[in-house]
Amino acid sequence: MRSEPAEQPEINLVDPGLYSHGDPFVQWRWLRDNEPMYWHPPTELPGFWALTRYEDVRTAYRNSETFSSAQGILLRPTDHGADPGGGRTLALTDAPRHRRLRALVDSWFAVRSVRELEAEMNDVARTVVDAALERGDCDFVADIAARVPLYVICKMMGVPESDWEHLHTLTSRAFGAGDPAARRFAHLEILGYFEELQAEKAADPTDDLVSVLATGSIDGEPLDAEDIILNCNNLLVGGTENTRIAAAGGMMALLDHPEQWQRLSEDPALLQPAVEEILRWTSTATHIMRTARRPVEIHGRQVEVGDRVTFWLPSANRDERVFEDADRFDITRKPNRHLALGFGEHFCLGSMLAKVELRLLYAELLNRSIRVELDGEPKLLDSIVVNGPDRMPVKLTAA
């Protein structure tokens, strides 16, 4: 348990080192208690409002008429210009276009569709764990947590199995730590890959998500090639990144709390609430941004049109006003109405998919009594966008 800061800490939520080497919860706790609507001065990033309490974040999520996604959902340096997906992708659109775009692919992520995929997802989890077990020593992030959601979303998108490893390499470079130029180049390669794939699917559609986008239309107008490519990228990122980090961060939490892993092994029925607690505990999306479309007052502070307003999800999900003993990792926690997957109109499209993937992965390890031990110090991501393990060396042994 972290101790309460006696006085105001230095507030700098945009220092990447805070998330890899520091303790952001000290700052978030102080803000929740003292300045729940905080104006963060500009740095290399523009100034912005920071919401850190659960109810404030939940209310703002729900109010899409005031808080727009179309100008971007992440803080970006001013000289980077507008996000190219603004107003065009699932994550970066407002109603009514967001609803119409989402309607094209919604059925693929419905409960019934995910349940129909469960046997195949279970096969993916088994294959990934088998390969890691054969190696013995591996990186839980790259070799296990990243592969399960990537292989599943690739299958859903109609990516040929022969290309899965290629995309695994590109996504590891694009979303991991390392040189920013190398990350950008990998991301461009991903966009180039989907440029070719969407052209193939447009000419010869099959039963997959890329074909749905390549042949779909909104208000009678087909999506143009760039919109299709950007939305393919959106689906790939949404279907892999947060689940990868949550799976690895959840395993790290279970290793830090071995009594919780023991309870899971004794009672597999706890897997469902355990997954919800892992999502709350890891809260892998560090911040989400909105842009004010009209003036609004929050906690006596005036937000003007065009102001950036950020939601700090790990803080909201540790808010003592909502979660009893919020800094305790408890796989039996109920209720657990966390905001790790968003809320309202932009509630995560793949939320059910992510939860099933996490459940099946942990079930695979538990059912086969596979022992997971740290084999070195985990390295955390140096990022203000997502938080959690970047590398996590482990040793796997079968009972």
Side-chain angles (χ1 to χ4, degrees):
M1 183 75 67
R2 303 175 178 91
S3 59
E4 293 287 341
E7 57 186 27
Q8 178 179 350
E10 179 184 355
I11 304 296
N12 184 1
L13 299 179
V14 296
D15 172 16
L18 175 65
Y19 305 97
S20 59
H21 300 99
D23 184 0
F25 288 95
V26 171
Q27 296 185 32
W28 286 327
R29 190 180 301 109
W30 190 91
L31 289 172
R32 287 198 304 269
D33 291 342
N34 298 279
E35 287 199 51
M37 185 60 170
Y38 173 74
W39 174 253
H40 198 293
T43 55
E44 68 278 5
L45 296 170
F48 58 90
W49 294 103
L51 290 175
T52 49
R53 286 186 185 173
Y54 178 97
E55 290 297 344
D56 294 335
V57 170
R58 188 174 183 269
T59 299
Y61 254 133
R62 190 164 44 191
N63 188 358
S64 58
E65 293 182 358
T66 299
F67 300 107
S68 169
S69 303
Q71 286 74 45
I73 61 170
L74 299 172
L75 291 165
R76 293 165 61 91
T78 307
D79 60 3
H80 281 202
D83 192 310
R88 308 174 75 174
T89 67
L90 283 157
L92 275 69
T93 44
D94 298 318
R97 186 170 179 82
H98 172 75
R99 292 174 192 154
R100 292 166 183 162
L101 193 55
R102 187 166 176 144
L104 290 176
V105 297
D106 231 353
S107 63
W108 282 79
F109 297 93
V111 173
R112 181 177 176 180
S113 298
V114 172
R115 284 180 178 160
E116 288 174 354
L117 274 171
E118 191 161 328
E120 294 176 76
M121 293 161 66
N122 197 51
D123 288 342
V124 168
R126 184 177 302 112
T127 299
V128 168
V129 170
D130 279 344
L133 193 58
E134 187 175 338
R135 285 192 298 273
D137 300 336
C138 68
D139 175 4
F140 196 93
V141 180
D143 297 323
I144 299 176
R147 291 177 188 273
V148 172
L150 176 68
Y151 292 175
V152 170
I153 197 67
C154 279
K155 189 174 188 66
M156 293 173 70
M157 295 180 77
V159 174
E161 191 169 347
S162 57
D163 291 344
W164 292 2
E165 277 306 302
H166 176 55
L167 278 181
H168 176 262
T169 300
L170 291 180
T171 54
S172 297
R173 291 175 188 163
F175 306 145
D179 177 51
R183 292 203 302 268
R184 284 194 296 272
F185 185 75
H187 215 133
L188 287 171
E189 285 194 77
I190 292 170
L191 293 173
Y193 178 86
F194 282 118
E195 182 177 13
E196 294 182 12
L197 185 63
Q198 67 85 22
E200 292 174 14
K201 298 294 184 179
D204 185 18
T206 51
D207 186 24
D208 57 68
L209 280 166
V210 178
S211 295
V212 168
L213 292 170
T215 60
S217 60
I218 294 178
D219 297 331
E221 290 291 325
L223 299 177
D224 65 33
E226 192 169 348
D227 281 7
I228 296 167
I229 295 163
L230 289 170
N231 276 289
C232 286
N233 180 66
N234 196 170
L235 286 170
L236 181 73
V237 173
T240 58
E241 188 170 13
N242 286 328
T243 308
R244 165 179 62 91
I245 303 170
M251 192 71 245
M252 191 159 70
L254 290 163
L255 292 175
D256 287 341
H257 302 82
E259 76 288 352
Q260 302 284 302
W261 184 252
Q262 181 63 31
R263 292 190 72 175
L264 267 183
S265 66
E266 293 170 355
D267 185 2
L270 290 174
L271 264 172
Q272 186 170 345
V275 165
E276 298 294 346
E277 179 68 345
I278 284 167
L279 290 168
R280 181 192 79 91
W281 187 258
T282 57
S283 292
T284 57
T286 311
H287 83 271
I288 293 293
M289 188 188 79
R290 296 290 188 264
T291 302
R293 290 204 252 193
R294 57 190 182 191
V296 63
E297 185 178 301
I298 303 175
H299 292 296
R301 309 298 297 272
Q302 186 63 40
V303 179
E304 303 295 349
V305 173
D307 281 359
R308 298 168 178 85
V309 181
T310 55
F311 313 159
W312 296 84
L313 302 185
S315 173
N317 285 333
R318 298 280 188 99
D319 190 343
E320 304 86 346
R321 295 155 191 79
V322 175
F323 299 97
E324 184 179 352
D325 204 359
D327 285 327
R328 178 168 56 91
F329 179 67
D330 179 8
I331 63 170
T332 66
R333 184 181 296 275
K334 284 187 179 179
N336 196 347
R337 300 186 183 94
H338 59 79
L339 300 172
L341 299 172
F343 189 76
E345 192 169 90
H346 278 270
F347 183 68
C348 177
L349 178 67
S351 58
M352 177 60 65
L353 186 68
K355 291 177 184 181
V356 172
E357 288 169 346
L358 292 171
R359 175 172 58 80
L360 292 176
L361 172 58
Y362 295 129
E364 186 67 21
L365 296 169
L366 288 164
N367 293 342
R368 294 167 62 178
S369 300
I370 294 172
R371 182 178 176 85
V372 183
E373 299 174 279
L374 282 178
D375 193 30
E377 190 69 23
K379 180 182 182 299
L380 300 181
L381 284 159
D382 201 23
S383 168
I384 69 166
V385 176
V386 288
N387 69 93
D390 179 44
R391 291 197 301 272
M392 186 176 158
V394 296
K395 181 178 291 186
L396 269 61
T397 51

